[in-house]
Amino acid sequence: MECRSFSVGGYQFPLCARCTGVFVGEIVGIIMLICGFRLEWYIIVPFILLMGADWFVQRINLWESTNVRRFVTGTLCGIALVYCYFYAIVFIIGLFG
C-alpha cells in the first residue's frame, strides 16, 4: 500500500515501512555481531513481540500504526532476527562439533 511505505523525492520505496525496518535492522544486527555485541534472549524476544503487537493492534483496528512506528518496530525485530539466526547456527554447530 502506498500509504504504508516511504517515498523520497517522488520515489516510492518498493517495501512497506515495516519491511524496510526489518531490512535495516538485519543490516544493523549483522554489524553488531561483527563488532562483538551479543544480545540475550530477554532482549531478543521482546523486540520480536513489539513488532507483532504493533501489527496485531493495527490488524484488529484498535489503532492505526504510523510509518515511523512500523519502521522502528521492524528495525528492532530485524536486529532480533539476526540474533535468532546466529544462535540457531551456533546451536546446530554445537550439535555436530
Side-chain angles (χ1 to χ4, degrees):
M1 292 175 58
E2 194 171 313
C3 66
R4 291 190 181 169
S5 63
F6 296 114
S7 61
V8 176
Y11 173 75
Q12 188 75 34
F13 279 33
L15 298 174
C16 71
R18 189 171 286 129
C19 292
T20 301
V22 171
F23 180 70
V24 169
E26 288 175 337
I27 293 170
V28 169
I30 290 168
I31 293 169
M32 290 171 65
L33 276 173
I34 291 170
C35 291
F37 292 103
R38 298 293 182 262
L39 295 181
E40 299 295 330
W41 287 105
Y42 63 87
I43 296 173
I44 294 169
V45 172
F47 278 8
I48 295 170
L49 292 177
L50 277 172
M51 188 182 85
D54 181 48
W55 171 83
F56 181 73
V57 295
Q58 181 177 322
R59 179 74 175 144
I60 63 170
N61 296 318
L62 192 58
W63 74 64
E64 184 71 21
S65 188
T66 65
N67 281 347
V68 172
R69 183 180 297 134
R70 289 181 191 110
F71 180 79
V72 169
T73 59
T75 301
L76 294 175
C77 185
I79 291 169
L81 287 173
V82 167
Y83 280 90
C84 287
Y85 304 149
F86 173 74
Y87 288 128
I89 290 168
V90 168
F91 177 76
I92 291 168
I93 290 173
L95 290 175
F96 299 106

